[in-house]
Amino acid sequence: HPTADSIKLNCDASNMHNSDIVGFGCAIRDNNGDSQRGCTGSIQVSSVLEGELFAIYKGLLLTWEAGFKEIYCETDCHEAYVLLKDSNIPFCSQESVLISRIQNILL
């Protein structure tokens, strides 16, 4: 659980019926696990990984707009986690654009 001064951001995405449409959702929860805000939507992307990164990006924007600064972000996509932890990403794909946007939010 997050501390009293922080929140948890849960992000997820999934492919919709083997198409290029990915559904995503984000939920902001306080230290008691109660939902504070959230968002859902769909986006046309080239991969589920791109959808997962987009969900993280939208979730971080939502938390910053709500004024939360200490955030624990939770995702079930190990590949997205690894890519966001790596600072030497080659910038040649749509995923790299999202990674750059996420890293800029975190600065």
Side-chain angles (χ1 to χ4, degrees), residues 1 4 6 13 21 26-27 29 31 37 41 44 47-48 53 57 59 61 63 77 83 85 88 96-97 103:
H1 293 285
S6 63
I21 303 294
C26 307
R29 302 181 188 282
N31 62 329
R37 293 176 189 232
Q44 188 170 357
S47 68
V48 174
L53 291 168
Y57 172 69
L61 287 179
T63 58
C77 183
L83 287 171
K85 296 290 282 179
N88 297 314
S96 63
V97 171
Q103 289 174 336

Side-chain angles (χ1 to χ4, degrees), residues 45-105:
V45 294
S46 60
S47 68
V48 174
L49 172 60
E50 186 179 352
E52 292 277 355
L53 291 168
F54 186 80
I56 293 168
Y57 172 69
K58 289 295 283 188
L60 288 172
L61 287 179
L62 186 65
T63 58
W64 281 98
E65 290 169 0
F68 299 110
K69 301 299 180 202
E70 188 172 333
I71 304 161
Y72 293 89
C73 183
E74 191 171 85
T75 179
D76 64 353
C77 183
H78 182 71
E79 189 175 1
Y81 172 79
V82 169
L83 287 171
L84 290 170
K85 296 290 282 179
D86 187 357
S87 60
N88 297 314
I89 302 297
F91 290 93
C92 59
S93 68
Q94 185 61 32
E95 287 89 355
S96 63
V97 171
L98 284 167
I99 292 166
S100 177
R101 288 180 181 171
I102 293 166
Q103 289 174 336
N104 285 335
I105 291 171

